[in-house]
Amino acid sequence: MTAHSILMIFGIMCGIAYAILGVVAAKHMNNPTYFEKYIGWSLWWFLERKKYNEQGKKYCNIGMILAVAGAASWTLYFTN
């Protein structure tokens, strides 16, 4: 297995985990509107920590790690 394949697989896994975590974190929003909970989910959900309860804030921390790891993986994949 080449380094390119490993970077690609890791990037895909981080992306899928990040998306699933974002959906799970949406259940931990403080007083969400319908739009925020079901329609307004964005790829930058982890930056809006103040909208979440304590469990949601933990998910935001993990989401930040996954976002950075996935972005780094794809950056390395496309620059090598």
Side-chain angles (χ1 to χ4, degrees):
M1 189 174 258
T2 67
H4 272 86
S5 298
I6 292 169
L7 289 170
M8 182 179 61
I9 291 168
F10 184 72
I12 290 170
M13 289 173 43
C14 285
I16 291 171
Y18 177 79
I20 291 169
L21 190 62
V23 172
V24 172
K27 296 177 183 175
H28 296 281
M29 292 180 95
N30 293 323
N31 304 317
T33 64
Y34 178 83
F35 182 79
E36 288 176 330
K37 195 164 187 173
Y38 298 106
I39 300 170
W41 187 81
S42 75
L43 292 177
W44 305 108
W45 60 268
F46 71 93
L47 295 174
E48 301 176 322
R49 291 177 47 91
K50 65 182 179 226
K51 291 184 177 183
Y52 295 93
N53 63 22
E54 289 305 312
Q55 184 64 36
K57 289 178 183 178
K58 291 177 185 176
Y59 290 146
C60 287
N61 292 337
I62 297 168
M64 179 178 50
I65 293 167
L66 287 171
V68 170
S73 176
W74 284 112
T75 301
L76 289 171
Y77 175 80
F78 284 113
T79 57
N80 274 334

